Amino acid sequence: MASDANVKRRFRGDGDISRIPSPLQHMETSNVEIGLNAAIVAVMDDEPVALVVRGEADGSGGIDGLPFGPFSPVEHRTLESGLRSWVAEQTGLELGYVEQLYTFGDRGRHAEPGDVSPHIVSIGYLALTEAGHARDLQRGTWRSWYHYFPWEDWRRGRPEVLSAEIEPRLREWALRPAVRTAPSRPVQRSDRVRICFGLDGGGWDEEKVLDRYELLYEAGLIEEARRDGREAALAWGTLPRLGAPMLIDHRRILATAIGRVRAKIKYRPVIFELMADDFTLFELQKTVEAILGPHLHKQNFRRLVESAGLVEPTGEVKTRTGGRPAKLFRFRREVLLERPAPGVRVKPARV
Amino acid sequence: MASDANVKRRFRGDGDISRIPSPLQHMETSNVEIGLNAAIVAVMDDEPVALVVRGEADGSGGIDGLPFGPFSPVEHRTLESGLRSWVAEQTGLELGYVEQLYTFGDRGRHAEPGDVSPHIVSIGYLALTEAGHARDLQRGTWRSWYHYFPWEDWRRGRPEVLSAEIEPRLREWALRPAVRTAPSRPVQRSDRVRICFGLDGGGWDEEKVLDRYELLYEAGLIEEARRDGREAALAWGTLPRLGAPMLIDHRRILATAIGRVRAKIKYRPVIFELMADDFTLFELQKTVEAILGPHLHKQNFRRLVESAGLVEPTGEVKTRTGGRPAKLFRFRREVLLERPAPGVRVKPARV
DNA sequence: TCATATATGCTCACGTAGAGCATATTAATG
DNA sequence: CATTAATATGCTCTACGTGAGCATATATGA
């Protein structure tokens, strides 16, 4: 066991781990790469957008991907700094707010059948950026995230694609027997469909973006599932295209990002990362609605934001709003230094 | 660029990424290992415990570590299954509930000065297990998590160690100038101390376990900081030992786990992963209190749990409780299939 | 049998959130 | 210039969740 000494050396000075059964012959994890992926979110003209980089070399128009690159421990001091440098290099954008989302590593996802190339472990990150600052890109495109997830777009009511395309196919999929994988308490396919998509009286949970995407992937209704060589739910030719596909597992990462933002603005003041320095309360509300979907009750929203001490008036007003001039506000950064630092706790008005 | 063809091949069939600047010469991420680490939590006799494996070969008693092992894409179908197999191999425990916590990869953490061994990227997982099921271990020990984080133990009021040892040293550290690293909006050291430790009238946020640990590490008050070769805040000899140290970055992972559990039981019914099949409401309350700390208002707790439909009576009672027999309840697994599936939303009674 | 400890039911006060009404202040239009 | 429309902003009313405490039920143990 050549690596054993190596391992011990790593822990020298802190004792020893030789009581841990030494199955360390697997210690060489060669053939593993760590990919850093950035889901960069902004809100432009009341539309939630993500920054994508397109591959167009083959003339077919290519496929969208998130900015990404491998982690190099030699050049990158931390995972996050590696991510920042990849994004800067590929798009010219200097990221502000960044948080880690999740690390994906399923074999078989984003791998072609018979592929022997290195296994990729993907670390997904969420970045939030202000629209104004986000316009000067060297490369890359801002695209509405509903371009990739049309079933998440509830701004004009329940999206058509749900009842027209998704529901009937999912219901059929739910009837077919599941391949048993996990042990213990099985969750019925039909239950999963019902919970994720709020069928049969269940409500739509706007945070379950990833769960819905994963379910569609499992059901073979998503283009990435075909690419990964999963058996099709139905003949692929008969399937509609449910949202635009992305490279590797990037759509999965974007789904995670959307779910996280939607959840997080409710308990942390991260919405302000998407705003300019000065803004009106209505602009703030529009931004929240761009992220969450349904409309909010205006007066209550104002009361909530102001009474929570999240903002302070700048003293200026913004005219030409189409009505009475709106007072301008700025984010009170001090709230970050106050206790729990709340978000904009909101429930959609009038479902 | 030898790896370029390699990279293209990986994305064959999905288009091309050649418009992404090809800095792919760094693609060989050799010298990176992925470590899978399990913070396994249970509650035994109203004490929150974690499963640790001790290294004792050098006779000094060794140092505790979490069950862990490297991810091997050849043997492990997924990251999580790799974790499960390492835990089973090292402790004999078959995990139930598992969730991913975070992926750590700072250079310089858990590395000895001048070390050229592979860089480790650590993926931390949280596992919850029932005390009864957790007693039959082949190897490993259950230890109170306050053994590693004495300042988190508020069960008997504010822990002594805070005012006696931690606060004065942190206040001193806050006065010293910070080494500027991050750009833009700097957060004052004193503010960080105040927020994390609830000084100067701020409240104690029991979820900020990781923030507090990281702060203590940065301030050089934690043994792992010395091990990693960071400059000491004070002469190391004069420092008390603040909690027991752990291998590599395991204490950081455990801190993340504690914070996550404390947060999660409030909005997801994960507390029941720690309970036996049948339990009294008082036992449930004791378990919640073991996780969260302060005492809860008994009647309100009962009302909350019952009205949320989280439990249903089994019809049996438990006698010999020292008073009137308590009705036994079981978790209503159906709530997992109902809409948002709430947790036990509780605020500590009477701070 | 009584003291005691726990289990369990019920009430009351209060703050917050959902909902809507009313008014203020501007721009656009004829 | 008067009118209309659109937004901004203040205020009220109500329902409900939650914190807190009182009261009662039913065991065990001295």
Side-chain angles (χ1 to χ4, degrees), chain B residues 44-334:
Chain B
M44 302 175 121
D45 304 320
D46 300 335
E47 183 90 15
V49 290
L51 179 52
V52 299
V53 180
R54 307 196 68 180
E56 305 187 53
D58 61 12
S60 71
I63 193 169
D64 296 344
L66 302 175
F68 82 107
F71 172 58
S72 159
V74 179
E75 304 182 31
H76 303 141
R77 201 179 55 79
T78 65
L79 295 170
E80 191 180 302
S81 68
L83 180 91
R84 287 176 191 274
S85 79
W86 279 117
V87 170
E89 193 170 327
Q90 289 175 14
T91 71
L93 188 65
E94 298 289 338
L95 295 182
Y97 178 90
V98 169
E99 76 174 73
Q100 193 186 100
L101 288 171
Y102 199 81
T103 301
F104 294 102
D106 304 16
R107 182 192 298 175
R109 293 290 282 252
H110 55 85
E112 298 175 32
D115 200 341
V116 291
S117 59
H119 190 90
I120 305 182
V121 169
S122 299
I123 311 184
Y125 283 84
L126 164 68
L128 302 179
T129 196
E130 184 215 322
H133 178 253
R135 286 184 209 275
D136 40 63
L137 286 184
Q138 290 168 19
R139 238 183 326 268
T141 319
W142 295 98
R143 293 206 88 146
S144 169
W145 69 33
Y146 300 125
H147 179 61
Y148 307 99
F149 303 97
W151 56 89
E152 300 289 344
D153 186 0
W154 283 60
R155 288 172 301 176
R156 283 166 298 278
R158 196 162 205 280
E160 186 68 21
V161 67
L162 271 175
S163 34
E165 312 284 358
I166 293 179
E167 280 182 27
R169 290 184 173 82
L170 280 183
R171 286 191 195 278
E172 199 213 302
W173 173 78
L175 293 178
R176 300 218 305 281
V179 186
R180 299 280 339 110
T181 53
S184 60
R185 317 149 188 149
V187 177
Q188 294 295 320
R189 280 184 170 183
S190 56
D191 285 327
R192 293 181 57 200
V193 170
R194 185 167 47 78
I195 297 168
C196 287
F197 286 87
L199 266 42
D200 304 326
W204 180 267
D205 182 350
E206 79 271 354
E207 297 180 16
K208 293 205 198 303
V209 186
L210 179 62
D211 307 64
R212 285 186 283 267
Y213 176 74
E214 293 285 279
L215 195 62
L216 292 173
Y217 181 97
E218 268 189 67
L221 300 174
I222 287 285
E223 192 151 321
E224 283 90 333
R226 172 171 60 165
R227 180 204 61 192
D228 297 345
R230 296 179 60 97
E231 57 176 314
L234 303 156
W236 277 105
T238 70
L239 282 180
R241 187 196 230 211
L242 295 179
M246 298 183 88
L247 277 183
I248 326 181
D249 55 356
H250 288 186
R251 194 145 57 137
R252 179 151 67 153
I253 293 169
L254 183 54
T256 312
I258 296 172
R260 179 74 66 89
V261 187
R262 285 181 170 175
K264 194 142 194 176
I265 61 170
K266 290 168 193 156
Y267 62 95
R268 283 293 129 85
V270 289
I271 188 71
F272 302 101
E273 305 290 341
L274 301 169
M275 306 297 299
D277 287 344
D278 295 0
F279 48 84
T280 71
L281 292 186
F282 196 46
E283 287 167 349
L284 183 64
Q285 179 179 347
K286 285 290 192 186
T287 306
V288 171
E289 288 176 346
I291 300 291
L292 288 187
H295 291 355
L296 305 173
H297 187 284
K298 191 166 179 169
Q299 296 93 320
N300 291 344
F301 179 82
R302 300 173 54 86
R303 176 177 62 187
L304 208 61
V305 171
E306 289 192 276
S307 70
L310 291 174
V311 299
E312 62 190 0
T314 66
E316 320 255 305
V317 293
K318 179 172 187 176
T319 56
R320 337 215 66 230
T321 58
R324 171 173 167 178
K327 272 196 271 190
L328 281 169
F329 291 82
R330 72 169 72 93
F331 176 44
R332 279 189 64 240
R333 297 224 159 264
E334 307 89 278

Side-chain angles (χ1 to χ4, degrees), chain A residues 153-213:
Chain A
D153 185 0
W154 284 60
R155 289 172 301 175
R156 284 166 297 277
R158 195 164 206 280
E160 186 68 20
V161 67
L162 272 174
S163 34
E165 311 284 358
I166 293 178
E167 280 182 27
R169 290 184 174 81
L170 281 183
R171 285 192 195 277
E172 199 213 302
W173 173 78
L175 293 178
R176 301 217 305 281
V179 187
R180 299 283 336 109
T181 53
S184 60
R185 318 153 189 146
V187 176
Q188 294 294 321
R189 280 184 169 183
S190 55
D191 285 327
R192 293 182 58 201
V193 170
R194 185 167 48 78
I195 297 167
C196 288
F197 287 87
L199 268 43
D200 305 326
W204 180 268
D205 182 349
E206 78 272 352
E207 296 180 16
K208 292 202 198 302
V209 185
L210 179 63
D211 307 66
R212 285 187 283 267
Y213 176 75

Side-chain angles (χ1 to χ4, degrees), chain A residues 263-337:
Chain A
K264 194 141 194 175
I265 62 170
K266 292 169 191 154
Y267 61 94
R268 285 292 130 86
V270 289
I271 189 72
F272 302 101
E273 305 290 341
L274 301 169
M275 307 297 299
D277 287 344
D278 294 1
F279 49 83
T280 71
L281 291 186
F282 196 45
E283 286 167 350
L284 182 66
Q285 179 179 347
K286 285 289 192 186
T287 307
V288 172
E289 289 177 345
I291 299 292
L292 288 185
H295 292 353
L296 306 173
H297 186 284
K298 191 167 181 168
Q299 297 92 319
N300 291 344
F301 179 81
R302 299 173 55 85
R303 176 178 62 185
L304 207 61
V305 171
E306 288 191 277
S307 70
L310 292 173
V311 297
E312 63 191 0
T314 66
E316 320 253 305
V317 294
K318 179 172 187 176
T319 57
R320 334 212 77 234
T321 58
R324 170 174 166 179
K327 272 195 271 191
L328 282 169
F329 290 83
R330 72 170 70 92
F331 176 44
R332 281 187 64 240
R333 296 222 161 268
E334 307 89 279
V335 301
L336 296 175
L337 308 179

Side-chain angles (χ1 to χ4, degrees), chain A residues 14 29 63 71 73 75 103 107, chain B residues 14 26 71 73 103 107 227:
Chain A
D14 287 326
T29 49
I63 192 169
F71 171 59
E75 304 182 31
T103 301
R107 179 193 299 175
Chain B
D14 287 324
H26 316 310
F71 172 58
T103 301
R107 182 192 298 175
R227 180 204 61 192

